């Protein structure tokens, strides 16, 4: 399996070894090892869903291509989100500065009014 796939699979349950997962997907485990692996999988719902999704692929050779497409799509989404956040920060700062100045002006006016009439 490619290193990209191993990187993605490493985000799953830390107790499950990547190599064991790949062996499980390729059906290279003994019955006892397979049973122990499935028992570990039952404790992690996300892991179970991920393995089921990987097992449902008809052509196991396409996994590397799918991983690459997913990484590209994820990178695009993250870049869009980052740009949106930067725009939002820039747009919010002038409003914040205006609000602070307005608040200081109101406090100063209130102080002068209280001092004059109080």
């Amino acid at each position: 399996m490619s290193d990209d796939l191993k990187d993605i699979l490493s985000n799953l349950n830390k107790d499950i070894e990547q190599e064991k997962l790949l062996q499980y997907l390729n059906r290279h485990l003994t019955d006892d090892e397979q049973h122990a692996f499935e028992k570990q999988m039952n404790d992690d719902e996300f892991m179970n869903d991920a393995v089921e999704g990987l097992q449902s692929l008809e052509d196991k050779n396409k996994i590397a291509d799918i991983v690459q497409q997913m990484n590209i799509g994820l990178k695009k989404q993250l870049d869009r989100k980052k740009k949106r956040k930067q725009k939002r920060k820039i747009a919010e700062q002038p409003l914040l500065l205006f609000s602070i100045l307005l608040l200081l002006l109101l406090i100063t006016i209130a102080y002068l009014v209280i001092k004059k009439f109080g």
Side-chain angles (χ1 to χ4, degrees):
M1 266 318 138
S2 72
D3 288 337
D4 289 338
L5 180 59
K6 288 181 182 178
D7 290 341
I8 286 178
L9 297 176
S10 69
N11 294 324
L12 301 175
N13 190 334
K14 301 296 182 197
D15 297 332
I16 298 175
E17 299 172 17
Q18 295 175 25
E19 288 300 321
K20 262 219 165 82
L21 176 58
L22 297 175
Q23 289 173 353
Y24 177 80
L25 290 172
N26 292 321
R27 302 193 189 282
H28 293 132
L29 294 177
T30 65
D31 289 339
D32 292 337
E33 289 174 330
Q34 184 175 353
H35 180 67
F37 183 82
E38 288 170 351
K39 189 175 180 182
Q40 270 186 309
M41 256 185 4
N42 286 336
D43 294 339
D44 189 349
E45 190 174 312
F46 181 74
M47 177 68 177
N48 194 21
D49 288 344
V51 170
E52 285 178 10
L54 290 171
Q55 285 177 331
S56 68
L57 294 173
E58 292 176 14
D59 188 5
K60 302 294 184 198
N61 297 328
K62 290 185 179 180
I63 291 177
D65 294 334
I66 292 170
V67 167
Q68 185 177 8
Q69 289 173 357
M70 288 172 58
N71 284 333
I72 290 170
L74 182 62
K75 187 175 186 323
K76 284 180 183 178
Q77 283 182 336
L78 291 174
D79 286 344
R80 273 188 254 142
K81 240 182 192 179
K82 190 183 285 186
K83 286 179 185 177
R84 218 178 308 140
K85 269 188 174 180
Q86 287 174 348
K87 285 181 184 178
R88 192 178 325 150
K89 283 182 182 178
I90 292 170
E92 290 175 0
Q93 284 185 352
L95 183 60
L96 179 65
L97 291 174
F98 176 74
S99 299
I100 290 171
L101 288 174
L102 182 64
L103 185 62
L104 288 173
L105 180 65
L106 290 173
I107 290 172
T108 305
I109 292 172
Y111 174 77
L112 293 175
V113 167
I114 290 172
K115 188 168 182 166
K116 184 175 182 181
F117 294 113

